[in-house]
Every structure is written in C-alpha cells, then in structure tokens.
C-alpha cells in the first residue's frame, strides 16, 4: 500500500495539547500536513468519555490519531484503578466506533507498554502481548488500552476499517509531566534531585531497590515513529516503538545525578513497589514495516529534559 499523503487531510489529534501530542503535531507538519487542518479537542469543551462529543469530534475528519489517556505512575495506578480502566476504555472504544461510522480513512491508536504481561521474555515481542496478565499495579490501565487493539482488529476484519495500534515504550523529554503525584520515573527523579539540591539535602530517597530495568523513548522520536506509522503502516498487527536500550533504575538515577551534579547518597526505599521487573522492546517490526529507528541518544535526551526542567521549574 502506498504512503498516506498528509497534505490537505483533516486530522484530529486527541491529547494533542499534551507532552507527546505537541511533538506529534510538529512531526505531522514536517511530513506535509497543514497545521490549519489539524484539530485538537480539549477535554474541557470536548470530553470524549461522552458519546455525542466523539461523534462531533470525528465529523468530517480524514485521520484520527488517538493519544489521549488518563495516565500516571505507580502511585496513581494504585490509587485510581477504576478510573484508569473506565476512562481509557470508554474514550478509545467510543472514538473508534464513531470514526468507523463517520467513514474516517485512518485511525491511529497509541497503546501502552503496560499492556504486556508481567513476565514477558525480554526483549518484548509484539507476538507475546497475550501470553499472560499485565503487572498488577498497572493492569487496569493496560487491559483497557489492549482492548482497543482487539476492537481495531475486529473492525478491520468485519468492516475493512484501517486502524493501526502502536506501542511506544516509556516516554520522556522536555515538557513532560513533573507533578510528583502523577509523573513517571524520569521526571519524578529529575524533580527529586533538583529539590534536594535546592534544599541542600545530602540524601535522596528513591522507591524500590533499583533493580528493575526500563527502556525510554525520547518524545520527539516517539512522535516521528507515530507519524511514520500513520503514513506507511496499514496492517492489523501491533507495533512496538522503542530504542532497544535497557537501563536499570539504579543506573538511571546514577546518570541523572551525574548530569545534574548531585553527589548526595541514594537511599533505596525497599518497602515501596518496584513495578514490572524488566521492560525492553524488540523494535524489529517497526524498522521492517515502516523504517523507524530512534535517533536521539539516551544521554542527550536526558540532558535536554533536565535543561528544560531547570529553565521551567518555577
């Protein structure tokens, strides 16, 4: 199938005002989309948990990129599992159905790495997605998002609806969410180190024991991958977006402390949860299917993120 031409297409980007969304819009424009034809529904005026809002949002659109999610770190997942399940399922499932009914040409659903089983062979291959239940703390969110893959596959089978499902690994980058109540690991640690420096603290408490591993994808790289998938991928199978580079939380905090010049002691709070033991993706399918590989090195991306936070911390 030939590349999907973005010029003159009307594109709806849910979550388009967010951390990843702004990068996706930037990459869409670089790939030929007209910014004036990109619509970003804001949750204040257009809550897509409401069916009529979904119908209105997709009306007259050619392409839907669904990034919107109710999401956070381990803390939020433990505190609000019901909200995370309901909100993410209802937003996605209604939007897909409304898009199908409205005759939308292409639906791009951005899933989550939390959908993978807790004990998945590393690196995670897309074919292993159904080989077990997700890690308990983020299972409600992960299962809700995974249901959307089933919906897209069945709509393709029955209606010929062109929907694709992309699985980016943990994202980070400038403009990330640094709110300690809901942030993910990199922004949470950067903020922690920054505040320790301001307060003159010599000790830095960090959740868990530092043994879990994670893979991180710079937001600009993720956005490029999403747009490449939008243009060049038209299959039902899910596709990982990542770097294939795995780092332990222990090494991650060491690197952040080095880049931020913090020389205090790290105190591991081993009574706190670790989350999934290992997380690293097999990225071969994205490379084969639409030529995507990450370009920003982890050290460079981390430095950019720290610099942005320090300039905007106030």
């Amino acid at each position: 199938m030939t590349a999907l031409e973005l010029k003159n297409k009307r594109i709806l980007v849910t979550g388009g005002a967010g951390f990843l969304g702004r990068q996706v819009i930037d990459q869409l424009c670089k790939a030929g989309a007209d910014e004036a034809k990109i619509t970003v529904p804001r949750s204040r005026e257009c809550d897509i948990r409401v069916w009529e809002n979904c119908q209105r949002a997709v009306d007259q659109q050619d392409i839907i990129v669904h990034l919107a999610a109710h999401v956070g770190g381990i803390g939020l997942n433990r505190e609000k599992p019901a909200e995370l399940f309901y909100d993410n399922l209802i937003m996605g499932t209604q939007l897909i159905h409304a898009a199908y009914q409205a005759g939308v040409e292409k639906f791009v659903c951005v899933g989550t790495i939390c959908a993978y089983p807790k004990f998945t062979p590393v690196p995670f291959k897309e074919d292993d997605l159904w080989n077990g239940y997700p890690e308990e703390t983020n299972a409600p969110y992960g299962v809700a998002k995974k249901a959307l893959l089933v919906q897209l596959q069945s709509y393709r089978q029955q209606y010929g609806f062109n929907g694709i499902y992309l699985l980016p690994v943990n994202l980070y980058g400038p403009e990330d969410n640094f709110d300690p109540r809901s942030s993910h690991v990199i922004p949470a640690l950067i903020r922690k180190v920054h505040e320790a420096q301001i307060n003159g603290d010599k000790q830095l408490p960090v959740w868990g024991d530092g043994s879990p591993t994670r893979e991180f994808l710079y937001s600009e790289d993720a956005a490029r991958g999403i747009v490449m998938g939008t243009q060049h991928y038209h299959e039902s199978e899910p596709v990982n977006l990542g770097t294939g580079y795995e780092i332990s939380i222990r090494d991650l905090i060491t690197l952040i402390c080095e880049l931020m010049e913090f020389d205090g002691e790290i105190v591991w709070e081993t009574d706190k949860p670790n989350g999934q033991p290992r997380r690293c993706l097999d990225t071969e399918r994205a490379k084969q299917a639409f030529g995507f590989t990450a370009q920003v090195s982890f050290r460079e991306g981390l430095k950019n993120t720290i610099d942005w936070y320090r300039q905007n911390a106030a």
Side-chain angles (χ1 to χ4, degrees):
M1 205 165 169
T2 51
L4 181 60
E5 191 59 65
L6 299 179
K7 195 170 187 281
N8 298 322
K9 295 287 187 200
R10 287 162 304 206
I11 305 172
L12 179 83
V13 183
T14 71
F19 152 61
L20 175 60
R22 289 193 287 270
Q23 297 278 3
V24 167
I25 288 168
D26 189 43
Q27 294 295 326
L28 282 167
C29 294
K30 283 182 178 161
D34 176 357
E35 192 159 9
K37 294 192 169 174
I38 298 175
T39 305
V40 176
R42 300 306 298 268
S43 55
R44 286 188 303 278
E45 301 91 47
C46 183
D47 182 343
I48 57 172
R49 292 173 301 181
V50 178
W51 167 243
E52 290 75 18
N53 290 344
C54 289
Q55 289 180 298
R56 267 200 302 279
V58 303
D59 187 42
Q60 306 292 310
Q61 300 292 336
D62 300 305
I63 299 168
I64 313 288
V65 181
H66 179 45
L67 306 172
H70 185 176
V71 63
I74 290 179
L76 187 73
N77 278 286
R78 293 169 89 195
E79 191 189 331
K80 297 187 169 175
E83 281 180 35
L84 292 172
F85 179 81
Y86 179 82
D87 288 354
N88 287 293
L89 182 67
I90 206 76
M91 283 194 290
T93 202
Q94 292 191 145
L95 202 66
I96 291 168
H97 191 66
Y100 151 67
Q101 285 190 330
V104 166
E105 185 180 342
K106 179 85 180 259
F107 194 104
V108 180
C109 186
V110 176
T112 173
I113 211 65
C114 301
Y116 272 101
K118 180 175 183 174
F119 299 107
T120 308
V122 178
F124 294 8
K125 289 187 164 64
E126 293 92 345
D127 295 343
D128 289 329
L129 200 55
W130 295 100
N131 293 347
Y133 195 70
E135 201 275 321
E136 293 77 8
T137 47
N138 52 38
Y141 171 63
V143 170
K145 291 294 252 185
K146 193 150 70 160
L148 305 179
L149 167 62
V150 179
Q151 185 178 4
L152 287 171
Q153 288 175 330
S154 51
Y155 278 47
R156 181 184 290 273
Q157 190 184 335
Q158 187 173 341
Y159 307 131
F161 184 61
N162 186 9
I164 66 166
Y165 191 89
L166 305 174
L167 284 156
V169 78
N170 299 45
L171 303 179
Y172 74 103
E175 303 184 343
D176 203 340
N177 168 23
F178 287 86
D179 180 338
R181 289 166 312 204
S182 57
S183 61
H184 287 103
V185 61
I186 286 180
L189 291 175
I190 290 172
R191 181 174 177 141
K192 233 176 200 180
V193 172
H194 180 75
E195 289 176 352
Q197 287 175 311
I198 287 173
N199 299 332
D201 297 339
K202 289 285 161 235
Q203 289 193 321
L204 189 77
V206 180
W207 275 29
D209 63 13
S211 67
T213 65
R214 292 292 179 265
E215 173 184 343
F216 298 98
L217 181 61
Y218 194 58
S219 53
E220 186 185 317
D221 272 335
R224 215 170 32 81
I226 289 164
V227 172
M228 288 171 78
T230 302
Q231 288 189 280
H232 303 287
Y233 187 66
H234 310 284
E235 306 296 326
S236 62
E237 294 305 315
V239 183
N240 289 334
L241 297 179
T243 61
Y245 172 70
E246 185 178 13
I247 186 170
S248 72
I249 299 299
R250 189 176 291 275
D251 290 344
L252 170 64
I253 187 63
T254 304
L255 179 56
I256 289 172
C257 289
E258 180 200 322
L259 291 171
M260 296 182 75
E261 299 177 343
F262 175 78
D263 52 10
E265 181 201 358
I266 294 161
V267 180
W268 295 101
E269 299 188 293
T270 51
D271 58 325
K272 296 286 201 299
N274 267 332
Q276 193 161 18
R278 286 182 72 187
R279 209 179 264 178
C280 183
L281 298 185
D282 182 300
T283 57
E284 200 50 37
R285 185 176 285 173
K287 196 196 270 178
Q288 297 297 331
F290 48 90
F292 171 73
T293 51
Q295 291 176 351
V296 179
S297 78
F298 187 52
R299 193 183 182 94
E300 180 194 348
L302 210 48
K303 193 176 174 313
N304 293 347
T305 309
I306 290 165
D307 291 348
W308 183 88
Y309 179 68
R310 282 186 158 152
Q311 285 160 16
N312 296 275

